[in-house]
Amino acid sequence: MWIVAILMLLWQAVAAHAGPLEDCEQAQDIDRRIHGCTHIIRLFPRSATAFFNRGSAYLSKGDLDRAIADHTQVIQIDPAYSPAYYHRGIAYERSEQHDRAIADLSKAVELDPRHGGAFDARARIYLKTDRRRLALPDAERAVSLDPFDEEF
């Protein structure tokens, strides 16, 4: 009988904390996400998804250098991974590296021409860098792709 009780306690512990894969994929606890993704990357150093998830968590924390590094890893593993260009572009924008941001956002929209967020971000950078004529078509494209997005 005591064996059943121990097994029940073990099962509850496992259910309460499923492991690094689940940690890496959840978005609520950023530090837990980073830890889980780091564990996955140690086991599978070519996991674009783990690098992407960790890079996105670093971006959320404002750790721009690490976000850029992880999204660069994603791009090296899978050069067609459009969201990695978008997220790295946002990190470049926040670190005031506008030309790099524009290059990444341009690649994101080349790979995914329906990515309204990338058009919106590129328009925002064009405005910041006094390239207004380039900003308008991107802003219009962002709105046409998602007319109900209040950010656009």
Side-chain angles (χ1 to χ4, degrees), residues 7-109:
L7 288 174
M8 294 282 288
L9 286 173
L10 283 172
W11 178 255
Q12 289 173 350
V14 168
H17 185 76
L21 181 61
E22 289 78 10
D23 287 348
C24 183
E25 292 176 349
Q26 62 82 36
Q28 294 78 22
D29 184 336
I30 293 172
D31 290 326
R32 192 173 118 203
R33 184 177 197 179
I34 291 169
H35 180 74
C37 292
T38 300
H39 185 80
I40 298 299
I41 290 166
R42 280 192 208 115
L43 295 173
F44 305 100
R46 305 254 327 136
S47 173
T49 303
F51 275 109
F52 179 78
N53 288 343
R54 188 174 74 176
S56 299
Y58 282 135
L59 185 60
S60 294
K61 281 186 86 160
D63 191 338
L64 303 177
D65 290 336
R66 286 184 175 163
I68 290 167
D70 276 359
H71 288 104
T72 299
Q73 282 295 121
V74 174
I75 292 164
Q76 288 174 352
I77 294 166
D78 182 358
Y81 203 107
S82 172
Y85 290 98
Y86 171 71
H87 282 235
R88 190 173 72 173
I90 297 301
Y92 280 139
E93 176 190 12
R94 291 181 186 169
S95 63
E96 302 294 319
Q97 298 180 60
H98 296 122
D99 290 336
R100 286 182 169 183
I102 289 169
D104 274 359
L105 295 167
S106 296
K107 186 66 176 180
V109 298

Side-chain angles (χ1 to χ4, degrees), residues 102 119-120 122-140:
I102 289 169
F119 282 105
D120 179 62
R122 193 170 66 176
R124 189 174 55 242
I125 296 167
Y126 283 146
L127 286 173
K128 283 182 189 177
T129 58
D130 224 14
R131 300 180 233 183
R132 297 187 194 301
R133 274 188 265 175
L134 296 171
L136 184 58
D138 277 2
E140 288 173 339

